[in-house]
Amino acid sequence: AQYLASPERPDGTLGLHELQGFLFVVASSPESIPPSEWLAAIGGEEKLDFADEEQARQILNCIMALYNEINTAVLGRSEKLPTGCTFLDDVLANFEKGATISEWSRGFCSGYDWLSEVWEACLPKEMDEEFGATLMVLSFFCSRKLAEAYFEEQNPNRGRNDATFEQFARSVRQVFPSALASHAHMGRTIFEVSAAIDLD
């Protein structure tokens, strides 16, 4: 966390919880993404730099341990939130700067933007609706502006008795864990089916 947040890192470097969200997308990908590719994306437009070989070893070991933890959860289709990521009781506070879920969702969005073409190429039509729903939920807390756009899209002609934005946010918060498992399940299922076909 200290290394990623250091002012010496290039602009666009993912923070710890952003990295968790990013690696969740990598681990859930319907195609295998080698570390040589996703490690290069952590620093945004620039490669991560290290003071010396010892620091490189320590940081890369930490990042790989984090990936392995997330990959294990993905393989198990876990609904558990990543280590250190917690929802604040005030659901709207989860949009504020420093909120761990907001940071995770920003990393998720970065990862999906990076791998969107992979998903577009691999996703079966029958999974479109479920996939779209998980994308909405997992990216929801990325920013208040994006979340309000989702809300307007879901309630284009809302009336006096319709749900408020806060109520909508609470409902998204409730299904967030199951969306984690659903997204992981779709990606890993596509990967496993493709692998089995290749073996045949």
Side-chain angles (χ1 to χ4, degrees):
Q2 290 175 349
Y3 171 82
L4 294 172
S6 170
E8 296 176 2
R9 303 286 78 76
D11 290 342
T13 299
L14 300 174
L16 177 60
H17 299 305
E18 290 175 320
L19 180 57
Q20 289 174 315
F22 179 87
L23 292 180
F24 172 79
V25 178
V26 171
S28 303
S29 173
E31 288 185 2
S32 180
I33 311 298
S36 59
E37 291 187 20
W38 58 256
L39 278 169
I42 293 174
E45 298 296 321
E46 300 182 40
K47 291 183 178 180
L48 295 177
D49 57 332
F50 303 103
D52 50 41
E53 289 186 9
E54 177 61 18
Q55 186 189 52
R57 184 187 65 79
Q58 289 179 340
I59 298 302
L60 292 175
N61 282 347
C62 285
I63 291 174
M64 288 307 303
L66 183 64
Y67 172 79
N68 290 335
E69 176 186 343
I70 292 168
N71 190 51
T72 297
V74 166
L75 291 173
R77 278 64 162 177
S78 175
E79 293 190 358
K80 186 178 178 182
L81 292 170
T83 302
C85 282
T86 55
F87 274 101
L88 299 171
D89 292 338
D90 177 0
V91 70
L92 299 183
N94 292 291
F95 293 108
E96 295 175 4
K97 183 177 181 181
T100 56
I101 291 298
S102 182
E103 292 177 355
W104 186 94
S105 289
R106 285 199 299 273
F108 173 85
C109 288
S110 294
Y112 178 70
D113 287 346
W114 187 56
L115 292 178
S116 60
E117 291 183 2
V118 172
W119 276 100
E120 289 168 6
C122 298
L123 188 70
K125 285 291 183 185
E126 58 268 25
M127 287 186 176
D128 276 352
E129 186 173 345
E130 182 183 359
F131 184 71
T134 66
L135 281 185
M136 188 277 286
V137 172
L138 298 179
S139 64
F140 186 82
F141 291 97
C142 175
S143 75
R144 176 79 181 244
K145 183 177 180 180
L146 176 64
E148 288 178 344
Y150 284 141
F151 176 61
E152 293 293 336
E153 187 177 292
Q154 295 291 322
N155 302 273
N157 300 304
R158 66 183 187 280
R160 182 178 299 173
N161 297 321
D162 290 336
T164 65
F165 174 70
E166 183 173 353
Q167 290 170 328
F168 186 69
R170 284 200 200 103
S171 68
V172 172
R173 182 259 178 274
Q174 288 180 333
V175 299
F176 200 94
S178 60
L180 283 171
S182 178
H183 189 86
H185 178 69
M186 283 185 284
R188 294 310 304 174
T189 299
I190 295 169
F191 176 85
E192 290 160 7
V193 169
S194 297
I197 293 173
D198 289 342
L199 286 175
D200 291 343

